[in-house]
Amino acid sequence: MKKILYLMFVALLTVMAGTAWGQTTQTNRTLGNIPTGWRVQAGNVDFTATEAKHEVQIPAGANVTLTPLNPDRVKSVTLVDAPACRLIRLDTLHHDFVAQDCDTLTGTLNGSTQKYKITIADGATMTLKNVTINGWSDNVETASQSTVAWAGLTCEGDATIILKDGSTNSVKGFHKYYPGIYVPVDKTLTIKGETAGTGSLNASSQSNGRGAGIGGGYDGINCGNIDIQGGNITAIGGYYAASIGSGGAPAGSSYGSRCGNISISGGTVIANGESIAGIFTAAGIGCGEYGYCGNISIAGGNVTASGGENSAGIGSGNGHYYYINHHYHLSECGDILITGGTVTANGGKSSAGIGCGESANCGTITITDGVTQVTAKDGGENAPNSIGAGYGESTCGTVTIGGTVYYQDNAYVGTGSTYLTQSPLDYPSLLLRGKFTINGNGGKVQFSKGNLKRVNDTWSFFTNQYDCLGDTWNSTSCDLFYWEMTGNYGSAQSCVTSSGTASDVVDWGTNIGTGWKTLTKDEWVYLFNTRTNASSKYGYGIVNEVKGMIILPDSWTLPDGLSFTAGISYFTNNYSTAQWSQMEAAGAVFLPAAGNRDSGGPNNRNIDGYYMSSSPDGVDKAYRVQFYSNYLKVDYSFQRSQGGAVRLVKDAN
């Protein structure tokens, strides 16, 4: 570790006209004030105190000059050894500054009055603690002519930024061609959270800028690799630049702007491509317009990326440019690999959520079984895929999802033509394939992939239709839900959803997200009793040794080699996991006999099934579907304290 000298001013000794700096042997290390009107020069420290300042830190070995602008007042000084880690207040800077290893930056750099370049030394690990860098927007069109041609933060080489727990940080570039945070070519910027990962960073180009939020700049201002491992990060690019990745390039450029590889393994990352009317923009994560980037990998974290016009959410930007009847492909990203995390990617107009912008290219796209959830949505306007190629002369490599190849050699494979084109595309799918009519107006729904559960205040679906918590059920992990009552039937417990008044309507779908809902009593009744051939489209069964109810969709074709018999005996239909996979692929729904909840924990697991509706019955009761061997009632009125399982639906397209 480097040694740093604290320059500390101690008590006033005397007032002597024309006296030079005195020597002192005092060991008092209490930091004193630097009086107004003193000038300090040493290494990175060079300023005149305009108000009382504390704790000036000076590099070891630096020649120190201390000049009292009023020689009639002399302070005694003591130079003492100090640790290498420094706290740098940006508001006190009066010059360009290079952050060293172990430095912590704090405070505000006001770009309108402090036009200073803040860089991070090669190989340094530094911390941001409530930093605001408001870059000054220079309207000079050519960066080489600007007096502030730099980013908000500039890495000199490899660098690591740590976001202090609980801190809020904002970094904005200076000249409009530059990004919020810049990493040089062939170097790597790593961004981490501290221990708890609660620090945040907002990185952006100027409001009229053309640089990335994190990455490169416009017209050949290329960048290196970006590695995000934690923290809460929001990045916004300029007109033609990715939020995280490369900047853009002028139309017809032969080289574009480039960045290296982009990897995300933790934290919460939001990368929103701006959409300016009439101006093609860039990917949320990946390439700027007519730009290039390396490979993109996501192994963890919660990632949301939205592309601008004609650009992918994750992947390449707009590559569509006409010039004297010639088509240019000027945006291209490398391979895209997603092995973990929760990923939401929204494509811009004519573009895929994950993959290519319009008339742009990308490498292979691989999503493995390890991911928690991937949701990709195309941007409409003739966009052919949610994952894969964009509109126009767009090409991508092999697309493999969950071990299945859906696109190869510029052609769909197997069911790829229907799978990759659905919007949104969920993997693993949150929706089952079958569609079910639930009212006389022809309204149809699709069921969630599994029952609803809540674990430590996190709501989600079970991976398989036959799953339930079983013996792991407890006060903070539950899959049986009920309505709290005002009467004498139960008291407030975890997994309560609503108070018990006659007008209350419970819809557990609000805990998952937009579009999810709980069927009403009348909708359950229509599903089981009224839709066409309703009586032949449900029956009891056993799946993977779990008892439950099987419901078939409106349009149904029995898979070859299997059988199904309508009826209310559990042993009528018995399927292995492999056989059920075929039934599920054909659209079948399975409601496991998950039991009920009556004054406490679960009862009758793998014996009875109780499925909640969103319909009350007076003050103390509500409706549910109830089944057990040789018994079925789809509009059963029960005391609200007797909870049951919840299977959510979405309106079908």
Side-chain angles (χ1 to χ4, degrees):
M1 302 284 283
K2 297 177 182 177
K3 275 195 171 182
I4 306 296
L5 295 179
Y6 279 143
L7 173 61
M8 299 198 300
F9 290 85
V10 294
L12 178 65
L13 296 180
T14 184
V15 176
M16 298 180 293
T19 302
W21 285 99
Q23 303 294 320
T24 178
T25 59
Q26 292 190 44
T27 59
N28 185 348
R29 297 193 176 199
T30 302
L31 294 179
N33 294 338
I34 304 170
T36 300
W38 284 80
R39 184 171 181 79
V40 182
Q41 292 177 298
N44 289 329
V45 178
D46 181 1
F47 69 88
T48 300
T50 56
E51 58 183 23
K53 303 291 182 184
H54 294 272
E55 189 181 315
V56 178
Q57 299 177 8
I58 298 172
N63 293 321
V64 182
T65 301
L66 307 168
T67 307
L69 301 187
N70 180 353
D72 292 336
R73 299 184 61 82
V74 178
K75 287 272 187 173
S76 175
V77 297
T78 302
L79 297 177
V80 296
D81 288 344
C85 299
R86 305 180 299 171
L87 180 67
I88 308 300
R89 289 181 52 184
L90 296 179
D91 54 290
T92 67
L93 294 181
H94 291 257
H95 49 75
D96 294 346
F97 180 79
V98 180
Q100 304 295 323
D101 193 49
C102 204
D103 280 352
T104 295
L105 303 187
T106 191
T108 298
L109 184 79
N110 187 341
S112 62
T113 58
Q114 295 173 288
K115 298 180 178 62
Y116 307 131
K117 184 176 183 179
I118 309 299
T119 57
I120 304 172
D122 186 12
T125 295
M126 50 83 69
T127 300
L128 298 182
K129 178 183 179 182
N130 296 321
V131 162
T132 300
I133 296 178
N134 290 322
W136 182 70
S137 180
D138 191 339
N139 291 320
V140 175
E141 187 65 25
T142 304
S144 62
Q145 297 176 345
S146 173
T147 59
V148 291
W150 53 73
L153 272 175
T154 300
C155 303
E156 290 186 341
D158 294 327
T160 298
I161 295 174
I162 297 174
L163 305 177
K164 184 74 174 176
D165 279 343
S167 69
T168 300
N169 304 281
S170 176
V171 178
K172 183 179 291 187
F174 279 76
H175 189 272
K176 64 183 181 180
Y177 280 14
Y178 282 81
I181 302 177
Y182 174 73
V183 54
V185 175
D186 296 329
K187 302 299 181 179
T188 299
L189 166 64
T190 301
I191 301 177
K192 299 180 178 181
E194 208 181 25
T195 305
T198 58
S200 68
L201 169 65
N202 188 309
S204 65
S205 175
Q206 280 293 330
S207 58
N208 66 340
R210 300 175 185 178
I214 302 172
Y218 183 67
D219 195 11
I221 300 175
N222 302 325
C223 69
N225 307 311
I226 301 165
D227 180 18
I228 297 174
Q229 300 180 6
N232 301 301
I233 297 168
T234 299
I236 301 176
Y239 288 174
Y240 308 106
S243 296
I244 299 175
S246 68
S253 169
S254 61
Y255 52 87
S257 292
R258 301 173 181 270
C259 75
N261 299 324
I262 301 169
S263 59
I264 300 172
S265 58
T268 297
V269 179
I270 300 174
N272 292 326
E274 290 187 344
S275 181
I276 309 299
I279 300 177
F280 295 126
T281 49
I285 298 174
C287 304
E289 182 176 62
Y290 313 135
Y292 299 81
C293 72
N295 299 326
I296 301 171
S297 63
I298 299 174
N302 193 328
V303 179
T304 301
S306 299
E309 290 188 35
N310 297 56
S311 303
I314 299 173
S316 55
N318 173 50
H320 187 193
Y321 176 66
Y322 286 101
Y323 180 71
I324 314 179
N325 298 322
H326 292 285
H327 293 228
Y328 285 80
H329 294 270
L330 295 175
S331 184
E332 182 173 352
C333 72
D335 297 335
I336 300 172
L337 174 64
I338 302 176
T339 60
T342 300
V343 179
T344 301
N346 301 304
K349 183 179 71 174
S350 304
S351 305
I354 300 174
C356 303
E358 182 178 354
S359 295
N361 305 326
C362 67
T364 63
I365 302 172
T366 304
I367 301 173
T368 70
D369 284 327
V371 296
T372 301
Q373 185 65 44
V374 172
T375 299
K377 187 177 186 302
D378 70 51
E381 296 277 341
N382 301 313
N385 301 295
S386 288
I387 298 178
Y391 178 68
E393 299 178 6
S394 178
T395 63
C396 72
T398 300
V399 178
T400 306
I401 302 175
T404 301
V405 175
Y406 290 100
Y407 191 87
Q408 191 172 42
D409 297 328
N410 294 321
Y412 293 113
V413 177
T415 59
S417 60
T418 56
Y419 184 66
L420 298 180
T421 59
Q422 61 181 292
S423 186
L425 189 161
D426 290 310
Y427 178 79
S429 179
L430 296 178
L431 280 174
L432 297 172
R433 181 177 179 180
K435 298 181 180 181
F436 300 78
T437 302
I438 57 170
N439 58 50
N441 297 322
K444 296 178 184 290
V445 296
Q446 292 172 262
F447 282 83
S448 61
K449 67 174 186 176
N451 281 0
L452 185 68
K453 63 177 177 177
R454 194 194 77 172
V455 178
N456 296 326
D457 295 324
T458 297
W459 296 81
S460 63
F461 298 117
F462 284 104
T463 301
N464 302 298
Q465 293 201 66
Y466 45 78
D467 289 340
C468 65
L469 285 173
D471 293 339
T472 65
W473 196 95
N474 56 54
S475 61
T476 59
S477 299
C478 48
D479 60 348
L480 300 172
F481 307 93
Y482 74 99
W483 295 10
E484 184 180 0
M485 299 174 54
T486 56
N488 298 320
Y489 299 95
S491 59
Q493 302 176 39
S494 65
C495 297
V496 170
T497 308
S498 175
S499 60
T501 64
S503 61
D504 280 345
V505 175
V506 171
D507 199 328
W508 287 269
T510 58
N511 297 296
I512 289 293
T514 303
W516 292 104
K517 65 181 182 180
T518 311
L519 290 175
T520 66
K521 178 202 72 171
D522 291 342
E523 289 169 339
W524 279 117
V525 170
Y526 194 96
L527 176 69
F528 276 98
N529 296 342
T530 310
R531 66 182 174 132
T532 302
N533 298 322
S535 62
S536 66
K537 291 185 175 177
Y538 67 87
Y540 289 12
I542 299 175
V543 177
N544 191 32
E545 300 183 357
V546 176
K547 297 174 182 177
M549 171 71 71
I550 299 168
I551 312 173
L552 304 182
D554 296 345
S555 298
W556 167 253
T557 299
L558 183 68
D560 291 340
L562 299 181
S563 63
F564 173 81
T565 302
I568 56 174
S569 170
Y570 283 133
F571 301 98
T572 302
N573 307 290
N574 196 334
Y575 303 104
S576 67
T577 54
Q579 291 171 328
W580 179 251
S581 293
Q582 297 180 63
M583 293 286 287
E584 183 176 279
V589 166
F590 182 68
L591 304 178
N596 75 342
R597 180 180 177 186
D598 187 358
S599 301
N603 304 304
N604 299 326
R605 293 279 204 195
N606 209 29
I607 298 174
D608 300 346
Y610 303 82
Y611 280 80
M612 309 294 281
S613 81
S614 60
S615 300
D617 182 18
V619 175
D620 293 329
K621 295 184 177 181
Y623 289 99
R624 68 186 177 194
V625 175
Q626 182 168 314
F627 62 84
Y628 45 88
S629 186
N630 297 314
Y631 177 87
L632 170 66
K633 189 173 180 59
V634 296
D635 58 351
Y636 186 86
S637 179
F638 68 104
Q639 297 295 337
R640 293 185 179 189
S641 61
Q642 299 174 351
V646 171
R647 179 65 71 86
L648 298 179
V649 299
K650 274 190 174 183
D651 290 331
N653 294 327

